Amino acid sequence: MRKVLLLTLLLFACKPKPPPVNGLGPYVLGETKLATGKRRARCQPDGKIMWCFGAPAIKVGDQPAAVDLYFDGQGDDASLIEIALRIRGCNIDAVDAALRTALGPSTQRRGRKLFWRSKFSFVAARLRVDGNACEVNFVDPKDTTRIAKLREEK
């Protein structure tokens, strides 16, 4: 009995931690350039940044997510600063499980809002807070203004 308990404890203690995430699929915060965004999506200026939408969907668990990309300027060498996903008809349990598998346990949770912080990214997930969609945002962890807005959103 003692050996089984010890082995069980070791298996759980040695469970590898998910690697830090700084992107999704072909999109990496700070590395993907606007030129790539233009090849994969339709882009238009949004103030000083560039917003790209209509990129190929990415799966979160088994659910397709619409992808919006935001770049820190309008030149082809502008860097990716945010990845925004929208999952319509969201299955909360499936999305929550997929995010926990990919990112590990959230560093903060408020109801249906989950947050992960690492030195590579800040991730905010809104699991059907209003309506039937889930939203997941990956942003540069140094973008404190955007992080504050994501934390404040209803």
Side-chain angles (χ1 to χ4, degrees):
M1 175 70 167
R2 189 176 282 184
K3 287 181 183 179
V4 172
L5 180 60
L6 182 59
L7 181 61
T8 303
L9 289 173
L10 285 174
L11 286 174
F12 283 105
C14 296
K15 185 176 179 182
K17 202 174 175 184
V21 174
N22 65 341
L24 211 54
Y27 312 115
V28 180
L29 294 171
E31 292 179 21
T32 301
K33 301 299 179 189
L34 178 55
T36 300
K38 287 179 177 178
R39 285 192 299 272
R40 295 180 161 272
R42 295 180 301 278
C43 302
Q44 67 182 35
D46 184 7
K48 294 181 180 181
I49 65 173
M50 187 68 86
W51 168 46
C52 297
F53 54 95
I58 290 178
K59 290 225 177 208
V60 177
D62 62 348
Q63 299 177 89
V67 179
D68 286 352
L69 306 170
Y70 296 88
F71 294 86
D72 67 353
Q74 297 178 12
D76 282 350
D77 63 342
S79 295
L80 181 64
I81 56 173
E82 182 171 353
I83 304 164
L85 306 176
R86 184 165 177 84
I87 306 147
R88 294 174 124 169
C90 177
N91 176 325
I92 294 172
D93 294 331
V95 170
D96 188 19
L99 291 171
R100 281 187 283 112
T101 298
L103 304 171
S106 58
T107 53
Q108 183 181 15
R109 183 177 194 129
R110 282 187 273 156
R112 292 185 178 172
K113 291 169 56 175
L114 295 87
F115 305 99
W116 290 262
R117 181 181 273 293
S118 75
K119 69 179 189 175
F120 300 105
S121 67
F122 175 85
V123 180
R126 297 174 65 235
L127 306 179
R128 291 181 80 164
V129 172
D130 49 314
N132 68 350
C134 292
E135 297 174 1
V136 182
N137 300 76
F138 294 76
V139 299
D140 184 311
K142 294 178 229 121
D143 188 349
T144 55
T145 302
R146 181 64 178 137
I147 290 169
K149 285 181 183 177
L150 287 168
R151 286 184 183 279
E152 290 170 8
E153 286 179 354
K154 155 173 114 154

